[in-house]
Amino acid sequence: QKYAEVLTQLVHHTWVMPHHSQLRSGANEAPPSIVQALAIARANSDKRNIARALAMLGLFWVDDKNFALAQSTLEESKAFFREVHDEWGYAHAVLCLGFAAYTQDDQPTSLILNEQALALFRKIGDRYFMSVCLRYIGDLHMKQDNPTHGEAALRESLILVQQLDSKFVIAAGI
């Protein structure tokens, strides 16, 4: 059980690094660490780590442009997070679904999902992921010719990342 958690956390932290392409193991083939983490978690009926591994697998499928598989994988992740009452994980799964829609240029769906994720992260108090949601929301509003809302969201995102004092996140926000 701990091994599945370690593998899942390793994948998560590797994924959020700027060069997450190192997770790629081949065309249309999920990284072994994700597959192994998911298998171990499923074998142990460890729903929390099943949800985490599915979220990382869903992001992999988004990156691989396999959107149908990404959607079903992320929805399954979201259901497991809900079942184990993991509010942060659930919010992250919603954000991942918003990212999948964003990647497909489904702006209305992405906006709705990012706004849902933002509300959840506000409730939890996670300023980093609030800033991520706001960055997507701002960008989407700008693309939809709504500069007032877009600028407000981007400005709030930048204020949050400045509070976090992370040079990388500030640069991404700008």
Side-chain angles (χ1 to χ4, degrees):
Q1 189 172 354
K2 286 290 185 191
Y3 188 55
E5 185 172 346
V6 167
L7 282 173
T8 306
Q9 288 298 321
L10 176 65
V11 170
H12 176 78
H13 292 294
T14 303
W15 190 268
V16 297
M17 292 175 67
H19 298 98
H20 59 75
S21 60
Q22 62 198 352
L23 284 176
R24 303 199 68 70
S25 57
N28 299 320
E29 188 178 319
S33 54
I34 297 175
V35 173
Q36 187 177 13
L38 183 57
I40 292 168
R42 284 193 194 278
N44 290 293
S45 300
D46 180 357
K47 293 177 182 180
R48 178 165 278 120
N49 282 312
I50 292 171
R52 289 176 178 167
L54 286 168
M56 293 303 100
L57 186 58
L59 284 173
F60 169 82
W61 292 128
V62 171
D63 191 51
D64 203 52
K65 309 283 189 258
N66 189 335
F67 297 117
L69 194 50
Q71 178 79 27
S72 65
T73 303
L74 291 169
E75 289 291 348
E76 186 181 1
S77 172
K78 190 172 81 165
F80 274 106
F81 279 126
R82 175 176 276 151
E83 189 175 335
V84 297
H85 308 288
D86 184 331
E87 291 181 16
W88 186 92
Y90 183 85
H92 186 256
V94 172
L95 175 61
C96 292
L97 285 163
F99 174 67
Y102 182 89
T103 303
Q104 296 173 81
D105 202 32
D106 181 353
Q107 294 176 16
T109 301
S110 184
L111 185 58
I112 289 167
L113 290 166
N114 275 285
E115 287 173 344
Q116 288 174 2
L118 174 62
L120 294 166
F121 283 121
R122 279 193 201 282
K123 179 181 172 196
I124 296 165
D126 187 319
R127 292 183 299 163
Y128 171 77
F129 279 103
M130 286 168 51
S131 74
V132 171
C133 294
L134 285 162
R135 196 167 58 237
Y136 283 117
I137 290 168
D139 183 56
L140 289 161
H141 277 297
M142 295 301 249
K143 287 179 178 180
Q144 295 177 353
D145 291 326
N146 190 347
T148 303
H149 284 91
E151 186 178 319
L154 291 170
R155 189 177 308 274
E156 185 179 353
S157 175
L158 190 55
I159 290 168
L160 285 169
V161 297
Q162 287 173 329
Q163 292 171 355
L164 296 172
D165 196 32
S166 167
K167 305 300 183 223
F168 174 76
V169 179
I170 291 170
I174 291 174

